[in-house]
Amino acid sequence: MIQVSSSILSADFANLERDVRSLAPAGVDLVHVDVMDGSFVPNISIGLPVVEAIKRVSPLPLDVHLMIDRPVRYVERFCKAGANLLTVHIESDAQENILAALDQIADCGAVPAVALKPTTPAEAVLPYLSRCGMVLVMTVEPGFGGQKFMSHMVPKLKTIRGYINAQKPDCLLGADGGVNLQTASACKESGADVLIAGSAYFKAASQAEFVNALKAQNI
Ligand code: DX5
Ligand code: ZN
């Protein structure tokens, strides 16, 4: 079963409550919240107070994607702010600190996840996999919404699907960046079960039809 997580990076921030409340009626499963620090990625988005505010108005679980340096400093606070699933980048700190971050997320009762930038090889996920409830493969360079899907990430999705099946079958596989009706099929064929969509979702003429189509068997 495919789950759709809508990235509110492409929402209208002046009408964030309206846009967050529109997700569940459209069939969206998760609210994807992109947190950027202007250091790990060259953009600054939102932080803890906004996550707390989204939590107050969202009936859906929050899927918070941290694109920040040394996330171990902040994971407990993002869990307390309302993250149900919390993703850290494996490139953002030394291995021992990423492992500690994942343990802290689990201790807080949230689902720990790791993300991989496009240039990070699939096998780099292996030291973390046993602790993960999701692996997020970036299919664009993190930092901005509205970029083109990198089709050369498809083999990486397939390789990580193989690792998950062999070592952690209950772990989800997500694809984040440039997911639309054209690129979703390659993600699903490669074993992705969570599709993150920002600009394509918010630009769709009918968001419910867009979500239905992403979840359909035949694309
Ligand atoms: C990129 C973010 C993505 C992004 C997805 O840094 O992690 O979640 O918002 O947006 P689209 O679907 O527009 O590529
Ligand atoms: Zn994201």
Side-chain angles (χ1 to χ4, degrees):
M1 183 66 185
I2 297 292
Q3 296 189 62
V4 174
S5 188
S6 283
S7 167
I8 53 95
L9 194 59
S10 294
D12 176 358
F13 282 170
N15 288 288
L16 192 53
E17 176 175 359
R18 178 200 68 192
D19 283 3
V20 168
R21 287 193 193 278
S22 75
L23 302 178
V28 170
D29 300 286
L30 299 157
V31 186
H32 186 86
V33 185
D34 288 305
V35 174
M36 305 179 184
D37 68 352
S39 176
F40 182 72
V41 290
N43 194 9
I44 299 175
S45 57
I46 58 166
L48 286 159
V50 178
V51 174
E52 280 167 10
I54 294 170
K55 185 70 180 177
R56 285 202 300 276
V57 299
S58 176
L60 296 176
L62 303 194
D63 153 27
V64 178
H65 177 190
L66 296 182
M67 286 162 275
I68 67 174
D69 281 324
R70 295 186 290 132
V72 69
R73 298 173 295 154
Y74 285 101
V75 290
E76 284 183 352
R77 279 177 274 178
F78 276 99
C79 289
K80 287 203 178 84
N84 299 91
L85 189 156
L86 188 57
T87 302
V88 297
H89 267 267
I90 64 175
E91 307 88 357
S92 62
D93 205 344
Q95 181 174 316
E96 64 192 283
N97 295 332
I98 298 299
L99 291 170
L102 296 173
D103 286 342
Q104 285 183 26
I105 296 166
D107 288 346
C108 289
V111 176
V114 293
L116 286 77
K117 284 180 165 186
T119 51
T120 302
E123 58 270 24
V125 79
L126 290 172
Y128 309 99
L129 193 52
S130 67
R131 285 169 160 93
C132 289
M134 182 174 79
V135 175
L136 189 62
V137 172
M138 293 307 301
T139 44
V140 298
E141 197 57 50
F144 300 92
Q147 301 181 78
K148 190 171 178 289
F149 181 82
M150 295 175 158
S151 48
H152 60 288
M153 291 300 109
V154 165
K156 184 152 95 181
L157 282 165
K158 289 181 179 161
T159 302
I160 295 179
R161 178 81 256 169
Y163 296 153
I164 289 173
N165 289 351
Q167 300 181 25
K168 190 74 168 48
D170 60 341
C171 180
L172 298 168
L173 177 62
D176 185 13
V179 175
N180 56 36
L181 294 181
Q182 287 70 46
T183 58
S185 49
C187 297
K188 293 195 285 187
E189 280 162 23
S190 313
D193 29 36
V194 183
L195 300 180
I196 290 87
S199 51
Y201 172 84
F202 281 102
K203 280 187 193 152
S206 161
Q207 292 166 345
E209 280 174 24
F210 176 81
V211 173
N212 263 336
L214 282 192
K215 292 184 177 186
Q217 300 292 340
N218 57 344
I219 70 150

